[in-house]
Amino acid sequence: MSRPHGIPLPSAQRSSDSNETESACADDKQGQPRPREGVRQLTGAERVRTLVESNASVSLTLIGARDSHGPEEFGTGMPVARTVTPDGDVILLVSGESTAARAAAHAQDDDLTAVIEITDVAPVSVPHRIRGRAWLAGWLTPVRGNDRAWCAALLAERHPVGELLGLGESLDAPHTGRPAWMMLRLEVGEITVDDLWGAEHVDPEDLASAEPDPVSPHEAELLQHLHSSHGDRIGELCGLLGERGVRGMTAVPLALDRLGLRVRFTGGASGSSFDARFDFPEPVADICGLRRAMRALFSAASH
């Protein structure tokens, strides 16, 4: 699809080591530290799929739609839940009173263009706290007919509490006015991600086949626990960096996935920040495997 005009999607051509080009992750002149070591990483599609399925904040912007208040391009707030179908479409649950719901209800098929922006913020306090952003652009339509029950079940499987309670009844019951909730389908045509690994375009077909990282649902709690209760062990990882490691630097666990742990080191003589990525011996599939991997990592650092 053609990129909707007016949405600031970042260039995917910037080198991951460049400090001169503005990044979606940068929150001051230094910019987001990027990895320099050749470590294993999730694919771009896996990273985007993980963000879509996560609790990271999301906004929805319509392009070319007209609202009674005038603007032709406007944000419509935050969907309360979202998930990805096996075909790679993104299902969004929005308020029936939202601009997105009203615009989609009156639009003809495939003529309402929209962009989802997902912002990933580290759950611990670090310099450059925004870890990344992803943009998914496509065509927005209401979920209709027999697809409603199937999509509601898919959403409820991923988000079994909160606003989804009673969703089935609200979809099936007769309404005299606008429904309390509406499910929208974004047929994705273009994806861009700019995160800790760099910026790149992602093929929408790859999103459908990618799996979200299994550590993601537990990542925020685990990082906060590591930071508050095991800060000394995180600091010991500096010893695995060789000449790059500087004792006395502040070490904060920044990101965690099935392949490894990323730590942000700050301080030292220059006062700068850099990231170090510590690979697990093998990818982990669950919390038990993650505990074993973390024990092996800390054991290596203590010797």
Side-chain angles (χ1 to χ4, degrees):
M1 66 175 292
S2 297
R3 176 172 297 160
H5 177 71
I7 296 300
L9 302 187
S11 170
Q13 304 303 317
R14 178 183 46 75
S15 166
S16 63
D17 288 336
S18 172
N19 287 324
E20 298 178 357
T21 304
E22 182 179 359
S23 164
C25 295
D27 52 20
D28 71 9
K29 293 182 179 180
Q30 179 179 325
Q32 182 74 267
R34 302 289 191 176
R36 295 175 183 272
E37 61 272 48
V39 296
R40 299 193 307 266
Q41 68 183 77
L42 304 181
T43 68
E46 289 173 327
R47 294 178 345 246
V48 172
R49 179 68 184 262
T50 299
L51 281 177
V52 173
E53 302 282 5
S54 74
N55 292 323
S57 63
V58 59
S59 63
L60 176 64
T61 299
L62 307 183
I63 310 299
R66 291 185 178 274
D67 185 52
S68 59
H69 298 291
E72 294 188 1
E73 177 186 318
F74 46 88
T76 65
M78 182 182 298
V80 296
R82 74 264 185 181
T83 191
V84 179
T85 71
D87 294 329
D89 295 340
V90 179
I91 303 300
L92 304 168
L93 181 66
V94 301
S95 166
E97 298 294 333
S98 67
T99 301
R102 296 197 303 269
H106 294 94
Q108 300 297 318
D109 288 346
D110 295 341
D111 73 349
L112 182 59
T113 308
V115 177
I116 300 171
E117 178 177 341
I118 304 172
T119 302
D120 179 30
V121 180
V124 291
S125 179
V126 290
H128 320 292
R129 195 165 180 176
I130 295 179
R131 300 189 298 187
R133 290 188 175 95
W135 295 262
L136 298 90
W139 299 273
L140 197 66
T141 56
V143 176
R144 297 187 174 98
N146 295 332
D147 285 345
R148 292 190 304 161
W150 177 75
C151 288
L154 188 62
L155 276 170
E157 178 183 343
R158 307 289 170 82
H159 306 272
V161 296
E163 291 86 350
L164 292 178
L165 293 176
L167 175 59
E169 291 79 359
S170 70
L171 291 173
D172 296 332
H175 296 286
T176 57
R178 187 173 287 117
W181 302 105
M182 179 179 286
M183 288 183 296
L184 304 178
R185 182 195 308 272
L186 184 77
E187 181 185 349
V188 180
E190 187 173 2
I191 303 171
T192 302
V193 62
D194 186 4
D195 60 10
L196 295 171
W197 297 104
E200 63 181 282
H201 293 296
V202 174
D203 190 324
E205 293 184 1
D206 293 337
L207 180 68
S209 59
E211 291 291 335
D213 188 82
V215 175
S216 178
H218 315 284
E219 184 200 21
E221 180 180 359
L222 290 171
L223 289 177
Q224 290 168 352
H225 175 71
L226 286 171
H227 183 44
S228 63
S229 302
H230 302 285
D232 55 337
R233 306 297 303 274
I234 298 298
E236 290 177 358
L237 296 176
C238 188
L240 299 176
L241 300 179
E243 294 181 358
R244 192 181 180 193
V246 178
R247 295 294 180 180
M249 298 190 74
T250 300
V252 179
L254 176 67
L256 186 64
D257 58 50
R258 72 175 188 273
L259 300 180
L261 171 70
R262 182 189 295 266
V263 177
R264 179 151 297 166
F265 292 91
T266 60
S270 65
S272 61
S273 300
F274 70 88
D275 285 3
R277 172 78 174 188
F278 301 92
D279 284 352
F280 296 145
E282 59 185 17
V284 302
D286 51 34
I287 291 297
C288 291
L290 180 61
R291 291 195 184 102
R292 291 193 295 269
M294 291 299 299
R295 284 196 295 267
L297 183 60
F298 288 146
S299 177
S302 65
H303 291 87

